[in-house]
Amino acid sequence: MLDLNRRHLLAGTAATFVAVQAGTSQAQVQTAAQDQRRTRFDTGWRFAFGHLYDVEKDFGYGGDLRTYAKQGIDATPVAKADYDDSQWRPVTLPHDWAVELPFVHKAPKTPLKPDDHGAVWDPAANHGYKPLGRDYPETSVGWYRKTFTLDAADKGKRISLEFDGVFRDAMVVINGYIVKRNDSGYTPFRVELNDFLNTDDTPNTVLVRVDASLGEGWFYEGAGIYRHVWLVKTDPVHIPQYGVCVRAKADGTVEVTTTVRNDSGETKTVTLNSNIYFTPIDTPVLAFSDLVLPPFSEQVISQTHTIKAPKLWAIDTPALYFADASIWQGSEHIDQVITRFGFRDIKFDAQTGFFLNGKSVKLKGTCNHQDHAGVGAAIPDALQRWRLQQLKDMGCNAYRASHNPPTPELLDLCDEMGILVIDETRMMTSSPEGLAQLETLIRRDRNHPSVILWSIGNEEPQQGTARGAHIARTMKRLCNDLDPTRLITAAMDNGYGEGITEVIDVIGFNYRDQLIDGFHDKFPNKPIIGTETASTVSTRGEYIKDDAAHIVPAYDTTAPWWASTAEGWWPHFDAKPYIAGGFIWTGFDYRGEPTPYSEWPSISSQFGALDTCGFPKDNYYYYRAWWRPEPLLHLFPHWNWAKEDGSKEGKDISVWAHSNADEVELFVNGKSAGRKTVTKDFHVEWTVPYQPGKIEAFAYKAGKVILKDRRETAGAPAKIILTTDRTTLANDGMDCTVIKAEVFDAKGRPVPKVNNLIQFVVSGPGAVIGVGNGNPNSHEADKASQRQAFNGLCCAIVQVTGAGGITVTATADGLASGKVVLKSA
């Protein structure tokens, strides 16, 4: 390219920066550019149930052996533009139809037998007793339908759809043509549309048939198009999906590798320039490459930049830069992809643990599934942020995406919030499908500074075998080819020292804490992390074990046979520098895999530090005390024992406090029950006779009181108080907030043991999209406008539908109503 044209290109680049500068956040810089080529395709869909076996109820799909014999509009009648879909239900993506279904319990066809440890596992419980699977053909298949138009300006562009995740077995039909099949419920996929589209204002019809009759996990997985869909329009010469790879070092060196594709039938001469900057008003660091692209070809270009004294991406200061890859044809700007990245250095050391930018960091992590009360697997982006903030407030600095690739927005948020990530593939296999899924995962996620490890498996049957080692080697080779900057791990629960042990770079211990020290002695050069730890089970707000009611006390005392309590693992991990850290199972309770009660009526696990709504359990404050430096004092249990059976007065009650102070003193109705020294990584405890009134704890540091906490005997429930973490929402049709409803007595004291039915009413441009209460045995509907309180709490998730003021009111019989006012702007 001539120097004159380069000057023209530089001027165009500066103009691009100025246009983007109008954004109000760093994330919007990336969004502004992507909106030119990639737009959300989430609205305007309609949904209807199909059928696993009945062809007529499945809209004629599979009617005879010629289903795939011919392609076109007549092959799939519901694909016709004039098909009457008025009986189909309007939905907005993300959408999980499983969470809308009732809970169903059928007696097993054969009696269930206890396992080797005496537990009885009901297969239907794994997915939370939702009617999915071969026994429920009417609710296991769903169809999505949408019509859209393109105009003449789109003619000649490359047009595709990108699906972030569909659970599962998706078939995509465009204008009657079956153009894609995708089995995985977690791997994103792309569909090229060009050959099948109308660009003359004639409507186009896209159909997606989803078959959720088979699962990929042993936990609730949802059903449907539960992640975003994107419509992508590019020039024939463009940067393909995942076509930019950024590798940045803490010394300021950046290598930007860009794939440029020519999907036209003509040779094209273009210029690729990549720019690195921290904010849009920075002077960019530029690199140029002139390309000659033959028809239907692609080239991969590497460009190196150097940034002086870069801001490093760290947990407390997650500085993010932009790599702007643009293609110019003469003076025409024909494509642009902006990629966020961070400068940082990571290292695992077998003797001293994990290091970020040369500083030792103990991984204080949580494992989590994609599931939340009220919405199931279709978690709005704002709720993803809210969930991560609850974990970060607890002191969590790391997140394991269990046991599948996470939604892309979660990784974006971890980048922004300074949360480290173990990114995990769903299948440990070297089959073509398994390797394709792994490749997609790495290509999609390798630019995220938050990702520190690739995980190739979880408790796999072949983990301790020679065959497992062969499979792991093939998977590792692919990982290293695509991303040589990160190490490989796998979560093992047996076979330590055998099978895949020699292959993976960092060994992941799922529980089996008692074997770690011996393993380290035998394999002193192998870094160690706890990929799953703890698994304390507890029911929020409950303090007496009740097997008949499937209730577990919220003290840190109960764990399954394979696991330990919080105090059973963290003191050990905290004391051993060679253990890089651990990930508790789990941050949040989740549907399915009900534990410790694996049978009806339990429909969710009780592992979480927070319940399914995100309400903290008492164990949350154990981690908060020892995972964050700020002073903390949390006293429990509640002090309303007399109201339970009338016979508790004078009976001994175990009173605990979680604190990181030097000492804690307990007072019962003003009288000291003793001051106790706090041992690092442990709670303090008293046994006192119950008397109505109050218990109060004083926390001391260097002999001075620094914190107080108390629990009072509450009176009769009198009012509802609503709270939310924020009252100003974005008018984007997606933003949402969690509304917490809590029952108080007339004196403003929380009432801990009530279950009032609370109704939520929204006025203004908003809607309740889900409700919950954290009760692991509740069979109430998630998609409703009412919910019983569970131990004094329930919640509603309110999403914006337009601009203006939104008032949320909560009412219950006999209680004063609560109200919160929101603003959508």
Side-chain angles (χ1 to χ4, degrees):
M1 178 180 283
L2 298 175
D3 288 343
L4 178 64
N5 285 342
R6 286 201 189 279
R7 287 196 295 273
H8 186 96
L9 189 153
L10 279 169
T13 300
T16 301
F17 288 148
V18 171
V20 172
Q21 186 183 351
T24 58
S25 71
Q26 197 184 48
Q28 286 177 308
V29 176
Q30 188 177 31
T31 302
Q34 305 298 55
D35 283 351
Q36 304 298 318
R37 70 197 306 271
R38 190 172 186 259
T39 57
R40 291 190 192 274
F41 204 62
D42 289 346
T43 59
W45 292 86
R46 287 184 172 269
F47 173 80
F49 282 114
H51 200 283
L52 268 180
Y53 312 125
D54 189 315
V55 171
E56 183 177 349
K57 293 180 179 178
D58 203 31
F59 305 105
Y61 174 70
D64 56 39
L65 294 177
R66 297 176 297 172
T67 298
Y68 296 99
K70 299 292 182 181
Q71 293 284 293
I73 200 68
D74 293 330
T76 312
V78 291
K80 292 183 178 180
D82 60 354
Y83 173 79
D84 181 8
D85 61 7
S86 61
Q87 299 304 305
W88 292 38
R89 179 163 58 93
V91 295
T92 296
L93 309 181
H95 174 245
D96 174 8
W97 85 67
V99 75
E100 303 169 352
L101 300 174
F103 298 97
V104 176
H105 180 230
K106 286 184 177 180
K109 295 179 180 178
T110 58
L112 299 175
K113 297 181 179 180
D115 63 17
D116 293 342
H117 300 276
V120 177
W121 295 92
D122 184 346
N126 287 348
H127 289 73
Y129 288 105
K130 290 296 186 176
L132 296 171
R134 300 301 185 185
D135 291 339
Y136 301 98
E138 301 91 349
T139 51
S140 292
V141 173
W143 287 79
Y144 294 84
R145 188 176 190 273
K146 176 173 177 168
T147 59
F148 64 102
T149 57
L150 299 170
D151 56 36
D154 293 319
K155 191 172 183 179
K157 292 183 179 179
R158 302 305 300 174
I159 298 175
S160 61
L161 290 178
E162 294 177 359
F163 291 81
D164 284 346
V166 180
F167 198 87
R168 64 175 301 277
D169 189 3
M171 177 183 71
V172 182
V173 184
I174 301 293
N175 292 334
Y177 290 84
I178 299 173
V179 293
K180 184 71 175 181
R181 294 292 301 265
N182 189 77
D183 287 338
S184 171
Y186 301 103
T187 299
F189 61 95
R190 179 174 175 270
V191 183
E192 280 277 3
L193 306 184
N194 279 74
D195 291 348
F196 314 102
L197 287 175
N198 305 312
T199 56
D200 57 358
D201 290 330
T202 302
N204 296 281
T205 301
V206 55
L207 283 169
V208 184
R209 182 184 186 270
V210 184
D211 181 347
S213 60
L214 298 177
E216 297 184 43
W218 48 99
F219 41 85
Y220 178 87
E221 299 180 280
I225 309 177
Y226 71 104
R227 294 179 179 176
H228 293 300
V229 179
W230 306 85
L231 177 65
V232 182
K233 302 177 184 179
T234 69
D235 189 88
V237 179
H238 63 280
I239 300 168
Q241 186 182 33
Y242 315 137
V244 177
C245 176
V246 183
R247 291 175 182 159
K249 298 179 180 179
D251 65 3
T253 303
V254 191
E255 182 185 23
V256 180
T257 302
T258 306
T259 301
V260 180
R261 180 175 295 163
N262 177 13
D263 277 336
S264 76
E266 302 174 355
T267 297
K268 299 288 185 178
T269 300
V270 299
T271 297
L272 169 71
N273 74 289
S274 61
N275 316 313
I276 306 296
Y277 55 93
F278 183 69
T279 67
I281 60 174
D282 290 345
T283 300
V285 178
L286 303 173
F288 299 89
S289 297
D290 295 329
L291 309 176
V292 177
L293 296 165
F296 304 106
S297 69
E298 67 179 32
Q299 292 184 28
V300 180
I301 302 94
S302 290
Q303 299 169 314
T304 301
H305 307 259
T306 301
I307 304 295
K308 294 181 180 179
K311 298 174 174 61
L312 299 185
W313 187 92
I315 291 170
D316 295 326
T317 55
L320 291 170
Y321 283 73
F322 296 97
D324 179 348
S326 290
I327 304 175
W328 295 77
Q329 189 169 14
S331 60
E332 184 182 3
H333 191 194
I334 60 174
D335 199 18
Q336 180 183 33
V337 172
I338 295 180
T339 303
R340 289 197 307 179
F341 70 97
F343 291 93
R344 58 106 174 99
D345 176 71
I346 56 174
K347 183 180 76 170
F348 283 89
D349 186 278
Q351 304 302 321
T352 53
F354 174 73
F355 290 80
L356 177 63
N357 301 327
K359 297 179 180 179
S360 177
V361 174
K362 185 73 80 170
L363 298 176
K364 304 166 182 174
T366 63
C367 300
N368 294 281
H369 290 308
Q370 182 163 326
D371 172 40
H372 194 88
V375 294
I379 300 179
D381 299 348
L383 184 56
Q384 295 277 19
R385 180 183 291 275
W386 184 89
R387 284 165 57 90
L388 288 171
Q389 190 62 56
Q390 308 317 300
L391 297 175
K392 196 170 177 69
D393 289 347
M394 184 178 74
C396 172
N397 63 15
Y399 187 104
R400 179 178 171 220
S402 309
H403 300 288
N404 48 261
T407 190
E409 289 73 26
L410 185 136
L411 293 181
D412 290 339
L413 290 167
C414 288
D415 289 345
E416 294 175 19
M417 299 171 72
I419 299 174
L420 304 164
V421 176
I422 296 179
D423 206 347
E424 189 162 288
T425 192
R426 175 73 289 274
M427 298 195 302
M428 184 182 171
T429 176
S430 53
S431 68
E433 174 64 18
L435 292 178
Q437 291 185 20
L438 180 60
E439 179 173 353
T440 300
L441 167 72
I442 296 175
R443 288 189 182 278
R444 186 194 73 170
D445 296 347
R446 60 188 173 182
N447 294 324
H448 290 281
S450 58
V451 176
I452 59 171
L453 282 170
W454 304 116
S455 174
I456 62 170
N458 175 75
E459 299 182 359
E460 304 296 335
Q462 67 266 31
Q463 60 192 331
T465 68
R467 178 171 294 165
H470 289 309
I471 291 169
R473 285 191 190 94
T474 301
M475 297 179 75
K476 181 180 179 181
R477 184 167 60 250
L478 176 62
C479 292
N480 291 341
D481 286 346
L482 295 170
D483 177 30
T485 70
R486 294 177 179 89
L487 300 181
I488 314 303
T489 190
M492 300 179 66
D493 65 342
N494 64 65
Y496 305 109
E498 302 172 340
I500 68 173
T501 301
E502 63 174 297
V503 181
I504 57 179
D505 303 308
V506 179
I507 191 162
F509 270 78
N510 276 13
Y511 318 107
R512 316 302 190 267
D513 304 349
Q514 73 280 5
L515 302 179
I516 291 178
D517 291 346
F519 179 90
H520 177 65
D521 291 340
K522 190 173 181 179
F523 300 92
N525 297 319
K526 180 74 71 174
I528 297 171
I529 56 171
T531 36
E532 287 180 28
T533 61
S535 281
T536 300
V537 284
S538 62
T539 310
R540 178 184 55 76
E542 298 286 351
Y543 301 96
I544 298 175
K545 195 170 191 288
D546 186 343
D547 289 334
H550 288 202
I551 295 296
V552 197
Y555 301 109
D556 183 33
T557 56
T558 309
W561 65 266
W562 63 82
S564 64
T565 61
E567 291 183 355
W569 82 277
W570 177 246
H572 178 207
F573 279 55
D574 192 25
K576 301 290 185 178
Y578 64 79
I579 304 177
F583 294 74
I584 66 170
W585 190 265
T586 50
F588 292 83
D589 283 348
Y590 56 93
R591 300 165 211 268
E593 199 178 20
T595 311
Y597 304 104
S598 56
E599 298 177 277
W600 185 268
S602 289
I603 49 87
S604 72
S605 78
Q606 301 195 47
F607 293 117
L610 304 104
D611 67 18
T612 53
C613 295
F615 295 137
K617 303 181 190 179
D618 294 298
N619 249 23
Y620 177 96
Y621 298 99
Y622 169 80
Y623 293 109
R624 167 60 184 81
W626 302 114
W627 283 7
R628 292 186 63 128
E630 302 91 343
L632 184 281
L633 175 63
H634 173 71
L635 181 67
F636 60 104
H638 63 74
W639 211 239
N640 267 54
W641 295 96
K643 294 185 178 296
E644 298 206 355
D645 58 12
S647 61
K648 276 291 185 182
E649 288 199 33
K651 298 293 181 68
D652 285 343
I653 302 294
S654 180
V655 177
W656 287 31
H658 290 312
S659 181
N660 50 16
D662 296 337
E663 298 174 298
V664 178
E665 186 172 9
L666 178 69
F667 295 86
V668 181
N669 292 329
K671 183 178 179 180
S672 177
R675 185 189 294 197
K676 299 201 171 185
T677 300
V678 177
T679 301
K680 188 176 186 295
D681 294 331
F682 290 90
H683 73 283
V684 288
E685 179 180 352
W686 301 260
T687 300
V688 298
Y690 173 70
Q691 294 294 335
K694 70 176 180 180
I695 54 174
E696 192 168 18
F698 288 15
Y700 296 86
K701 196 78 171 178
K704 295 182 179 181
V705 175
I706 58 170
L707 290 172
K708 297 180 181 180
D709 196 15
R710 67 181 180 182
R711 299 289 177 264
E712 294 188 50
T713 305
K719 59 185 176 182
I720 304 167
I721 293 180
L722 297 185
T723 55
T724 183
D725 66 318
R726 59 197 181 101
T727 56
T728 300
L729 307 178
N731 176 28
D732 59 3
M734 300 182 298
D735 202 3
C736 66
T737 187
V738 177
I739 307 294
K740 173 184 174 183
E742 187 167 9
V743 179
F744 289 80
D745 71 4
K747 294 184 177 180
R749 298 171 297 200
V751 186
K753 297 292 291 181
V754 291
N755 60 352
N756 305 74
L757 181 63
I758 295 178
Q759 302 271 354
F760 295 95
V761 177
V762 178
S763 61
V768 173
I769 62 170
V771 294
N773 62 12
N775 183 349
N777 306 302
S778 174
H779 302 149
E780 297 171 88
D782 284 83
K783 297 296 182 180
S785 59
Q786 64 180 30
R787 190 72 169 204
Q788 279 190 311
F790 176 62
N791 290 334
L793 297 173
C794 65
C795 74
I797 301 169
V798 174
Q799 190 169 55
V800 299
T801 58
I806 304 168
T807 300
V808 183
T809 305
T811 62
D813 291 344
L815 303 183
S817 62
K819 183 172 72 173
V820 66
V821 177
L822 311 173
K823 181 182 179 181
S824 170

